[in-house]
Amino acid sequence: MRQADAVGQGPVRYGPVFPDDGLPVLPELAAVLAAAASRTEEQPVGGAPVLLDAASGYFDRRGLPADPARVAA
C-alpha cells in the first residue's frame, strides 16, 4: 500500500466520487449580491431591521410566530 503524501495527504484510496458543482446561482441573486458588495456601512448588533423582518416572516409562514424585536440574526 502506498504511503500518503505528508503535505497533501495523497489520494483517497476508496473514497467516493466528488459531487458536481451543484446548482447554478440564480441571476437575480447574483445581481443582488453584486450590488451589496460595495456597501460598507456596519449593521446593528443582532441584524438590520430588514433582515429581522424577513426572518420573522420566514418563521411566521411556517407557523412559528416571531416578533422582529425578539429575533437575532
Side-chain angles (χ1 to χ4, degrees):
M1 186 160 133
R2 186 169 95 78
Q3 290 291 338
D5 184 30
V7 175
Q9 299 299 311
V12 177
R13 185 174 166 120
Y14 295 109
V17 178
F18 287 120
D20 292 335
D21 288 339
L23 297 174
V25 177
L26 294 172
E28 297 86 359
L29 178 60
V32 170
L33 292 174
S38 63
R39 204 174 70 200
T40 59
E41 68 271 3
E42 63 185 37
Q43 298 297 309
V45 175
V50 172
L51 175 61
L52 299 178
D53 287 338
S56 172
Y58 173 86
F59 290 116
D60 283 340
R61 288 188 300 276
R62 283 152 183 80
L64 300 167
D67 180 17
R70 299 182 57 91
V71 174

